[in-house]
Amino acid sequence: MVLINLLLPCILFLASGSLILATCNGHQELCSRQYSDVSFVGAHNSPFVGCLPQQNQEWSVTQQLNNGIRFLQGQTHRAPITGSLNFCHTSCFLENAGKVTHFLRKVKTWLDVNPNEVVTLLITNGDSVPIADFDSTFNRSGITHYAYIPPISPLAINAWPTLQELINAGTRLIVFLDSGANVTEVPYILDEFEYYFETPYDQTDCTFSQCKIDRPSNASASGRMYLVNHTLNINLLNTGILVPDRDAAATTNSLASIDAQAHLCSSLYSRKPNVMLLDFVDKGDVIGAQNVLNAL
Ligand SMILES: *[C@@H]1O[C@H](CO)[C@@H](O)[C@H](O)[C@H]1NC(C)=O
Ligand SMILES: *[C@@H]1O[C@H](CO)[C@@H](O)[C@H](O)[C@H]1NC(C)=O
Ligand SMILES: *[C@@H]1O[C@H](CO)[C@@H](O)[C@H](O)[C@H]1NC(C)=O
Ligand SMILES: CC(=O)N[C@H]1CO[C@H](CO)[C@@H](O)[C@@H]1O
C-alpha cells in the first residue's frame, strides 16, 4: 500500500505523459475525426518566401510546419533551360523558388521527425506537365511512401479515414493537383476538383463578404470539401497588377476576419470550410482560427 502511494504520482505522471503524446496534429480530439471533417489553415504559395511583392509568405516551409501549418499550396512551372519542375509564381522569371524535389525533401524530413502529423499538399500544374513527371519528382525526394492512396477514387466525402488511421498506416501526406491528375497512372496524386470546390481568388474586398463557388464552375457543393481563398490583394501602384497585401496581413489573418468568412461559408453550405488559404501565415492568429474552426 505504501509502495503504491509512493509510486502513484509517478504512474499518473507517466500516464498523463503518454496521453499528451497520443495526439494527431497536436490534438487528441482530432485523432477520431475523418480527414474530411478537419479544418486547416493553409499557406497559399507556401514556397514563395521573402519580402518582394510577388512573395506570399515570410516563413520557410519548415517554419510553416513547425508553427502548425498542415496544408501547403504551391504553383509549379517548368524551369527554363533545365526543364525541371520548379515552384514558380506565374513564371520562373518573376519568382523561382527552386525545384519541387527540394521542397518535397524538406517536407519529408519534417514528416520523418513528426510521426503524429498529417500534412496536405495542393499543387497547381501551371504548364500542364505530364503526371509521370510529378511522380518521378516525388520519387526523387523520397516522400512517395508517405502519400495516401484512397481505396477507390474519388473517395466519397464521408469515406475518408480518420487522422489516427492515416497516422497508423504511415500515410500522412495527402496530395492534390489542380489539373492533369490521373490516378490510374499515379494513384496518390488526387484531382483537386474531384474533391474540392474553391471560392474566388484575387480578392480585394477586405471584408471577404462572399463565399461563392468559383471553381469548378457550376459545381455543386454537396459531396465536396471546400477551400476558401482568404487572401487579400492590392492593386500595385494602380497598375492593375494584384499583389498580396502584406501590410494588411495581421488584420486579414486575425481570428475575427477568418472566423467571419468561415461563418458566412458555413451558413451557406451547412459545413465548415476544410481549408482557409492564407498569405503570410506568420501574421495574425491563424492557428487560433484553426482551433476555433475545429471546435478545440
Ligand atoms: C515511382 O516509384 C514507384 C514505386 O517505386 C514506381 O512504381 C514508379 O514507376 C516510379 N515512377 C516513376 C515515374 O519513375
Ligand atoms: C489515365 O491514364 C490511363 C492509363 O494510362 C489512360 O488510359 C487514360 O486515358 C488516362 N485518363 C485521362 C483522363 O487522361
Ligand atoms: C454553367 O451554367 C450556365 C447556366 O446554366 C451555363 O450557361 C454555362 O455554360 C455552364 N458552364 C459550364 C462550364 O458548364
Ligand atoms: C490569388 C490566388 O493565387 N488564389 C489562389 C486561390 O487558391 C487556389 C488554390 O488552388 C490557387 O490556385 C489560386 O492561385
Side-chain angles (χ1 to χ4, degrees):
M1 196 60 204
V2 174
L3 190 62
I4 288 186
N5 280 345
L6 279 173
L7 288 178
L8 195 58
C10 219
I11 292 166
L12 289 176
F13 176 80
L14 291 174
S16 69
S18 61
L19 277 180
I20 288 166
L21 287 176
T23 63
C24 302
N25 287 18
H27 296 276
Q28 201 202 337
E29 300 92 320
L30 295 179
C31 290
S32 59
R33 277 202 217 160
Q34 288 181 295
Y35 175 81
S36 51
D37 194 28
V38 178
S39 297
F40 299 95
V41 288
H44 176 230
N45 285 333
S46 156
F48 307 143
V49 177
C51 56
L52 297 173
Q54 70 273 23
Q55 294 167 329
N56 305 70
Q57 299 297 338
E58 297 181 341
W59 276 338
S60 70
V61 63
T62 303
Q63 288 174 307
Q64 291 167 27
L65 289 165
N66 284 342
N67 284 282
I69 305 298
R70 298 289 175 268
F71 189 102
L72 309 170
Q73 188 257 340
Q75 198 184 108
T76 66
H77 290 273
R78 267 217 202 281
I81 305 167
T82 64
S84 64
L85 191 60
N86 283 28
F87 279 115
C88 296
H89 202 173
T90 314
S91 127
C92 291
F93 295 107
L94 178 63
E95 167 72 13
N96 186 341
K99 288 185 180 172
V100 174
T101 312
H102 292 168
F103 180 94
L104 292 178
R105 262 188 214 132
K106 288 180 192 153
V107 177
K108 190 235 172 224
T109 301
W110 192 90
L111 286 171
D112 289 343
V113 293
N114 291 280
N116 296 315
E117 304 295 317
V118 176
V119 171
T120 304
L121 300 176
L122 170 57
I123 299 173
T124 66
N125 183 6
D127 291 341
S128 303
V129 168
I131 195 66
D133 291 17
F134 281 91
D135 192 27
S136 54
T137 300
F138 272 72
N139 281 1
R140 269 199 302 279
S141 75
I143 205 172
T144 310
H145 69 93
Y146 280 124
Y148 171 66
I149 300 176
I152 50 159
S153 265
L155 197 60
I157 191 168
N158 59 5
W160 279 87
T162 63
L163 295 197
Q164 186 70 70
E165 285 166 343
L166 290 166
I167 289 167
N168 290 352
T171 52
R172 300 185 281 116
L173 183 74
I174 319 292
V175 184
F176 296 99
L177 188 67
D178 73 331
S179 74
N182 183 334
V183 291
T184 312
E185 287 187 33
V186 181
Y188 63 90
I189 300 184
L190 313 179
D191 180 341
E192 177 194 357
F193 292 115
E194 278 185 346
Y195 287 93
Y196 287 91
F197 73 83
E198 271 187 26
T199 67
Y201 53 85
D202 285 347
Q203 293 302 293
T204 52
D205 162 20
C206 67
T207 66
F208 296 94
S209 57
Q210 53 68 39
C211 190
K212 291 183 287 205
I213 299 179
D214 184 50
R215 297 189 294 171
S217 54
N218 295 351
S220 148
S222 94
R224 286 173 197 274
M225 299 187 280
Y226 69 104
L227 176 151
V228 178
N229 269 301
H230 191 85
T231 56
L232 186 66
N233 291 297
I234 44 165
N235 191 337
L236 182 67
L237 309 169
N238 280 322
T239 52
I241 298 170
L242 295 177
V243 297
D245 193 343
R246 198 180 290 257
D247 292 342
T251 309
T252 307
N253 292 352
S254 66
L255 177 60
S257 177
I258 296 172
D259 205 37
Q261 194 182 18
H263 260 97
L264 172 63
C265 297
S266 302
S267 71
L268 290 174
Y269 306 116
S270 309
R271 264 185 304 119
K272 62 200 161 79
N274 296 82
V275 186
M276 301 293 294
L277 201 61
L278 307 170
D279 289 325
F280 312 116
V281 292
D282 58 315
K283 299 286 194 315
D285 182 13
V286 310
I287 298 302
Q290 180 172 265
N291 288 340
V292 168
L293 277 165
N294 284 319
L296 294 172

